[in-house]
Amino acid sequence: DGGITQSPKYLFRKEGQNVTLSCEQNLNHDAMYWYRQDPGQGLRLIYYSQIVNDFQKGDIAEGYSVSREKKESFPLTVTSAQKNPTAFYLCASSMRVSGGSYNEQFFGPGTRLTVL
Amino acid sequence: RKEVEQDPGPFNVPEGATVAFNCTYSNSASQSFFWYRQDCRKEPKLLMSVYSSGNEDGRFTAQLNRASQYISLLIRDSKLSDSATYLCVVRKNTNAGKSTFGDGTTLTVKP
């Protein structure tokens, strides 16, 4: 089946540790995105990537890092510099269409990160 | 002021009711508009795109007013299964379709 997968579903981390969240898509989508969602709030963009080996900071990139070595993969590392990392992390992807615009975004099931 | 604003609700309605959600956006350069549905502790899923001429999908009708920078979603004949949070999303068609999400409006449909 085509889709976006994220792993793990739940992740627990001790303070001071880095942790990497996985995101893989087999939709052949060009762009990929990472969002953070806190309870009762909307999604905030962390990083996004339009093409392999290129990515841009979103609105809340501090304390996070990403890589895009393959089109289908866009892992997110939550570093110890992120002050409040406990949140629901969502990965999304979208297809670039003619004219340089993009279709709607499709989301993976998310990873719930808890810092102990 | 947030770039996308929604009435957070909650909206509590009986089955069969008609309910309308509103969303305003501040960036006049926004070009694409969407409504997503998010169930509790799940990922958002696209409900419908919003077109300038307005569009309908079954019991759901979306409308866009560019002059007032306002988007609406109307749900007719509400079902219990419509209970969810509805997210308004606006996007400029540059920067990889970077989107801005509202905080969502929560709907509970009661028997």
Side-chain angles (χ1 to χ4, degrees):
Chain A
D1 287 357
I4 305 173
T5 57
Q6 291 185 243
S7 61
K9 188 172 182 180
Y10 298 96
L11 186 57
F12 297 90
R13 189 195 89 175
K14 291 182 181 179
E15 276 193 46
Q17 288 182 336
N18 291 356
V19 64
T20 298
L21 282 57
S22 168
C23 178
E24 304 276 332
Q25 54 98 2
N26 61 3
L27 301 167
N28 199 34
H29 283 178
D30 304 282
M32 297 186 74
Y33 314 81
W34 274 105
Y35 293 91
R36 168 186 174 136
Q37 187 176 35
D38 293 283
Q41 296 188 31
L43 280 64
R44 292 184 290 167
L45 183 65
I46 305 172
Y47 268 98
Y48 63 103
S49 168
Q50 300 181 68
I51 194 170
V52 173
N53 292 325
D54 187 48
F55 47 83
Q56 288 80 41
K57 292 182 179 180
D59 302 316
I60 55 164
E62 186 176 349
Y64 299 98
S65 66
V66 293
S67 62
R68 187 93 186 272
E69 296 178 2
K70 299 185 295 183
K71 186 177 183 179
E72 58 270 23
S73 178
F74 192 40
L76 173 74
T77 296
V78 184
T79 74
S80 57
Q82 169 49 233
K83 299 303 180 191
N84 295 296
T86 296
F88 186 37
Y89 289 88
L90 288 155
C91 179
S93 68
S94 67
M95 172 78 79
R96 190 162 80 176
V97 296
S98 60
S101 63
Y102 288 80
N103 279 343
E104 63 274 11
Q105 294 180 17
F106 293 89
F107 285 85
T111 293
R112 290 197 179 274
L113 172 64
T114 302
V115 174
L116 304 173
Chain B
R1 184 188 172 195
K2 291 185 176 180
E3 191 171 334
V4 178
E5 297 211 51
Q6 296 183 246
D7 182 344
F11 285 65
N12 297 304
V13 303
E15 268 188 295
T18 295
V19 61
F21 304 140
N22 301 321
C23 171
T24 58
Y25 61 96
S26 60
N27 190 337
S28 59
S30 300
Q31 296 171 284
S32 300
F33 309 89
F34 307 91
W35 284 101
Y36 279 73
R37 170 194 169 124
Q38 186 174 25
D39 292 295
C40 188
R41 301 178 68 81
K42 299 285 190 179
E43 76 273 24
K45 294 187 178 178
L46 180 68
L47 179 65
M48 57 199 304
S49 302
V50 186
Y51 303 118
S52 296
S53 54
N55 47 302
E56 187 174 308
D57 182 3
R59 298 181 294 108
F60 299 85
T61 301
Q63 294 200 314
L64 167 65
N65 184 322
R66 286 187 186 272
S68 301
Q69 295 183 196
Y70 168 95
I71 306 157
S72 65
L73 176 69
L74 183 76
I75 305 176
R76 291 182 299 278
D77 189 23
S78 299
K79 310 291 185 191
L80 297 177
S81 57
D82 293 334
S83 297
T85 296
Y86 291 83
L87 304 173
C88 173
V89 183
V90 304
R91 191 183 75 186
K92 291 185 291 184
N93 289 343
T94 55
N95 289 342
K98 185 180 165 186
S99 301
T100 303
F101 286 73
D103 287 348
T105 298
T106 299
L107 171 67
T108 302
V109 181
K110 299 186 174 180

